[in-house]
Amino acid sequence: MSITLTDQDRPELQKAIEEMVESGFTGVTMRVHDERGEWVGSAGVRKLGETAKPTTNGHVRIGSNTKTFTATVVLQLVAEGTVGLDAPVAEHLPEFGLDPKITVRMLLQHTSGVFNFTGEYYDDGTFAPGIPATTAGREWVDNRFKTYRPEELVRLALSKPARFEPGTDWSYSNTNYVLARLLIEKVTGRSLAEEMQRLILGPLGLSDTVVPDTSPEIPEPHTHAYYRYEDVGRQKTVDVTRQNPSWISTGGDMISTTQDLRTFISALMGGKLLPAQLLAEMCKPHPKVGYGLGVFVQDAGENGGTVITHNGGTAGHGALMYSTPDGSKTLTAALNYVDDAALSLAEAFQKATQRLVKEVFGGGQAESADAAKPAQ
């Protein structure tokens, strides 16, 4: 049985999350499991204008950590023989007219080239908008309870030019994971939520993890999330804790807790969810940015070794999830903040995650900036 330590036992960890609050986060909760046992701490406030600290196991929208759960379900279906990892996606989803060269693996690794429905940032600095996502300011706020169906998001993306020929490059696209959801539902005849329950949430007892689809609710307890935008020349900040997450869909809609995230990543890396061969495929990094199949494979710096990670940020909510490749040492965190169209906290998010990796995994600065960006 692991020992739960208090912030007095690991003052350096408590200091790190308090400094995150000083850098602009409204609430931070972190959970670390390592050779010294378990440490849990929180800093900041549950709600602006109040003094109560975040609950140490509160619910949070986990953003792009959803991708790791979704990739795991797909790989479990590969293990069951339901779908082939290198099978053309168009064979299962003919209605979209996908490039027949796009495979299941390309969806999970972001090498399909399909346009990102939340908008594309190009190398020359230009931005091509998609749906009104959190880069859209007031337009996103006004639309935050709108329902988007996954098919609608995919069709929007496919109406735009592909970024590159399938398999020839790498580019992060939420569309890949919405296609993965539709693929799961097509080949099983069940909803993603049902398959997630059958394959991951049920077996691991993750009772605090939710696949919300279109529901705007987030279970109690939780820390609040905010969004700041300009309205007739004035800055307005609104509480966006409740929102219909169908605008991001399987790109980042799930809700969880630091405990459930810890249980999940530890079980996944410990070989409890996937056969060894498929886990090895998952953790095989693409040379461009170190992305495997639903996870980043990062160098944690001198003495830090390799960490397997995915982080996520979406509209004032964020989550961190890190593990050693064997699942024995983990760091999970829930973050809340005031988001805005300029993604003002992206730099603070990146610096904070690098600092935490250094503290917990004992190495130098984490090398991959991409792994630390909030995925919008």
Side-chain angles (χ1 to χ4, degrees):
M1 188 173 160
S2 66
I3 312 161
T4 300
L5 304 169
T6 68
D7 56 356
Q8 302 307 312
D9 300 290
R10 306 287 290 268
E12 74 286 358
L13 297 180
Q14 184 66 27
K15 182 172 183 240
I17 60 173
E18 284 171 0
E19 286 178 0
M20 288 178 73
V21 171
E22 288 165 16
S23 75
F25 291 90
T26 55
V28 179
T29 303
M30 184 165 75
R31 183 178 299 270
V32 172
H33 274 256
D34 61 14
E35 62 281 354
R36 292 174 60 181
E38 179 187 63
W39 180 89
V40 184
S42 72
V45 294
R46 279 186 67 177
K47 192 172 184 180
L48 288 180
E50 297 183 5
T51 56
K53 285 173 72 171
T55 312
T56 54
N57 203 37
H59 295 83
V60 68
R61 298 185 190 278
I62 63 172
S64 287
N65 289 0
T66 301
K67 294 182 173 76
T68 311
F69 282 87
T70 306
T72 302
V73 169
V74 172
L75 291 171
Q76 287 169 312
L77 294 176
V78 170
E80 290 180 353
T82 307
V83 68
L85 188 54
D86 293 302
V89 180
E91 288 184 3
H92 298 289
L93 299 173
E95 63 271 32
F96 295 111
L98 287 165
D99 188 317
K101 294 190 290 295
I102 295 173
T103 65
V104 175
R105 183 193 299 271
M106 289 176 196
L107 297 184
L108 302 186
Q109 195 156 35
H110 296 298
T111 56
S112 71
V114 294
F115 183 89
N116 182 9
F117 67 81
T118 49
E120 281 283 14
Y121 291 91
Y122 290 96
D123 294 339
D124 62 2
T126 56
F127 175 70
I131 62 157
T134 49
T135 49
R138 180 176 174 173
E139 191 181 1
W140 178 79
V141 172
D142 290 346
N143 280 283
R144 73 186 184 279
F145 294 109
K146 178 179 175 179
T147 290
Y148 294 89
R149 294 315 307 162
E151 296 84 357
E152 183 184 351
L153 301 174
V154 168
R155 291 190 191 283
L156 168 76
L158 295 176
S159 73
K160 311 278 188 177
R163 286 200 70 149
F164 47 80
E165 279 287 302
T168 63
D169 202 349
W170 184 92
S171 184
Y172 194 92
S173 173
N174 290 307
T175 312
N176 288 316
Y177 276 78
V178 179
L179 281 164
R181 168 190 172 168
L182 293 170
L183 175 73
I184 290 164
E185 294 181 338
K186 179 64 74 76
V187 300
T188 65
R190 291 182 287 272
S191 71
L192 173 67
E194 288 172 313
E195 283 300 276
M196 196 76 75
Q197 183 64 35
R198 177 177 77 89
L199 293 166
I200 301 176
L201 310 187
L204 295 183
L206 304 185
S207 57
D208 287 323
T209 299
V210 180
V211 182
D213 194 28
T214 61
S215 170
E217 307 305 327
I218 179 167
E220 292 281 3
H222 57 257
T223 298
H224 286 246
Y226 300 90
Y227 189 88
R228 180 176 57 238
Y229 66 100
E230 194 168 293
D231 183 34
V232 201
R234 297 179 63 180
Q235 292 284 313
K236 285 186 75 170
T237 297
V238 291
D239 188 319
V240 294
T241 310
R242 292 179 73 254
Q243 55 175 277
N244 181 334
S246 64
W247 68 272
I248 187 65
S249 186
T250 328
D253 63 0
M254 287 176 68
I255 295 164
S256 192
T257 62
T258 59
Q259 177 62 65
D260 273 12
L261 288 178
R262 187 266 161 189
T263 302
F264 167 64
I265 193 66
S266 181
L268 177 61
M269 291 301 111
K272 294 178 181 168
L273 294 174
L274 294 174
Q277 184 183 351
L278 284 174
L279 183 58
E281 292 286 337
M282 184 181 222
C283 297
K284 194 183 293 177
H286 187 278
K288 187 170 182 178
V289 292
Y291 200 89
L293 307 180
V295 292
F296 282 95
V297 183
Q298 255 184 277
D299 178 359
E302 187 185 351
N303 305 322
T306 298
V307 290
I308 308 299
T309 177
H310 215 305
N311 296 331
T314 175
H317 298 263
L320 311 181
M321 183 171 66
Y322 289 88
S323 176
T324 49
D326 65 355
S328 64
K329 181 187 287 193
T330 60
L331 180 165
T332 54
L335 316 174
N336 290 92
Y337 49 99
V338 181
D339 206 352
D340 60 19
L343 311 183
S344 301
L345 268 183
E347 188 178 347
F349 192 103
Q350 183 176 319
K351 285 181 177 172
T353 52
Q354 289 176 343
R355 161 88 187 274
L356 295 177
V357 168
K358 184 180 177 183
E359 287 285 1
V360 175
F361 295 93
Q365 289 293 308
E367 291 187 354
S368 171
D370 289 275
K373 285 180 189 169
Q376 295 289 334

